[in-house]
């Protein structure tokens, strides 16, 4: 058969009938109007109340509701003081070395904190979130016990500026 002016020879790859798609369809925007596509309709502007879904997608009897992103509310975690209590038996050098190694204090800071505990009965070694503070208390207690010293180390909620506990 001779090709006439009404036929256009086009190289076509075989396409399964159900998957055949006009290139113009492929160029459709994903968010088409309420009547096009899968019935996607943007819902925004003054008509939308806060918290109301922004879009709904319907296809057959399936409906997917797209919730608007919640505004992230960030709050600070409660903080806890790690306290070192004075006693008459734990050597000063031992307390200073704990402050340097476990609480990352400089030599002069460690000395000042140890002397504060020694003279007043108690000192704050550091302020941390609960899990970190708890881990530090456990380390201090374990090292003091291993060394045979009665050093007491405790965790206490930090007060906020109103005097309320965390
Ligand atoms: N009072 C101890 C002494 O004279 C030293 C010490 C300081 C112990 C601070 C505990 O939390 C402490 N050897």
């Amino acid at each position: 058969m001779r090709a006439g002016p009404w036929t256009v020879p086009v190289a076509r790859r075989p396409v399964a009938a159900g998957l055949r798609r006009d290139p113009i369809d492929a160029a459709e925007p994903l968010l088409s109007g309420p009547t096009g596509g899968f019935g996607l309709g943007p819902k925004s502007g003054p008509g939308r109340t806060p918290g109301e879904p922004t879009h709904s997608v319907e296809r057959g009897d399936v409906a997917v509701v797209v919730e608007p992103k919640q505004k992230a509310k960030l709050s600070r975690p409660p903080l806890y003081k790690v306290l070192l209590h004075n006693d008459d038996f734990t050597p000063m050098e031992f307390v200073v070395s704990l402050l340097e190694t476990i609480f990352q204090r400089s030599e002069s800071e460690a000395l000042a904190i140890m002397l504060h505990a020694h003279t007043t009965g108690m000192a704050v070694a550091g302020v941390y979130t609960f899990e970190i503070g708890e881990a530090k208390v456990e380390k201090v207690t374990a090292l003091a016990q291993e060394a045979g010293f009665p050093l007491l180390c405790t965790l206490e909620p930090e007060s906020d500026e109103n005097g309320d506990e965390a």
Side-chain angles (χ1 to χ4, degrees), residues 62-134:
V62 178
V64 178
V65 173
V66 182
E67 294 291 343
K69 273 192 182 162
Q70 297 291 310
K71 201 175 178 190
K73 273 188 192 162
L74 297 176
S75 57
R76 292 177 196 280
L79 295 176
Y80 292 80
K81 295 185 282 194
V82 174
L83 302 175
L84 285 176
H85 300 259
N86 188 38
D87 66 72
D88 292 337
F89 305 99
T90 305
M92 289 183 172
E93 304 74 40
F94 183 80
V95 178
V96 169
S97 102
L98 287 180
L99 285 160
E100 289 173 341
T101 57
I102 296 174
F103 299 94
Q104 281 78 49
R105 298 296 185 173
S106 68
E107 195 183 347
S108 60
E109 282 176 331
L111 193 61
I113 293 169
M114 182 280 294
L115 284 174
H116 187 76
H118 177 72
T119 54
T120 70
M122 195 173 67
V124 178
V127 178
Y128 306 94
T129 57
F130 182 81
E131 286 77 10
I132 294 175
E134 192 185 38

Side-chain angles (χ1 to χ4, degrees), residues 158-165:
E158 199 200 28
S159 302
D160 62 21
E161 61 271 14
N162 304 318
D164 297 328
E165 285 186 346

Side-chain angles (χ1 to χ4, degrees), residues 21-46:
R21 221 168 165 224
D22 193 305
I24 222 81
D25 289 337
E28 269 182 352
L30 283 175
L31 293 178
S32 55
T35 53
F38 296 151
L40 253 73
K43 224 181 170 196
S44 58

